[in-house]
Amino acid sequence: MEVLKDYSDMFPLVKALRSDLANHAKPDKKSQERSSGLKSSVRTAPRPLRKRLAPKDRQRLIADYLAGAMQKELAARYDIGLSSVKTILREAGARKYMART
C-alpha cells in the first residue's frame, strides 16, 4: 500500500515531463533555416570503377600486384576500395601464385 501511496502522485510529473520533451523535440525556426542549406542525406549512385581508375592506372595496379604489393596497399595508393582492387585483379586474371595441380 505504501508503494502505491508514494507513487500515486507521479502522474502529473510524468505528464509535465512528456510535455517538456515534446516541446524540445520541435525544431525552432533558426535550426530549420540552418539545416535548409545543408546537403541532402540521400545517397548518390557510386561511380563505375572504369570511371574511377584510368586504364593506365589499372595496368600499373596489376603490375604492382604481380611485383609483390599487397592488395590493401594498392587500395590506399590508388584511392579505391579493397573490393575494387580485388575486382580489377580478378577481371585481369592476375595471380601471384600458381594454382597447385
Side-chain angles (χ1 to χ4, degrees):
M1 277 308 250
E2 284 185 35
V3 173
L4 290 175
K5 184 179 170 186
D6 289 341
Y7 290 100
S8 64
D9 61 343
M10 291 292 174
F11 182 72
L13 293 174
V14 171
K15 192 173 180 181
L17 180 60
R18 282 186 181 167
S19 174
D20 287 347
L21 288 173
N23 289 336
H24 287 293
K26 294 177 185 173
D28 60 344
K29 295 259 187 205
K30 285 184 180 180
S31 65
Q32 286 178 340
E33 290 170 2
R34 277 181 282 179
S35 65
S36 66
L38 298 176
K39 289 184 178 180
S40 172
S41 64
V42 176
R43 286 182 123 181
T44 59
R47 293 184 336 190
L49 186 55
R50 60 180 157 53
K51 288 188 177 182
R52 284 182 276 156
L53 202 60
K56 286 183 181 181
D57 289 331
R58 282 175 165 256
Q59 294 303 320
R60 204 172 298 131
L61 183 145
I62 294 165
D64 290 346
Y65 177 72
L66 294 174
M70 303 285 287
Q71 292 177 358
K72 204 172 188 180
E73 293 171 9
L74 295 172
R77 186 181 309 164
Y78 290 94
D79 196 28
I80 59 175
L82 180 59
S83 61
S84 296
V85 171
K86 292 177 184 239
T87 299
I88 291 169
L89 296 172
R90 185 180 61 247
E91 288 174 354
R95 304 213 187 278
K96 276 188 185 179
Y97 308 105
M98 298 301 273
R100 293 184 184 183
T101 55

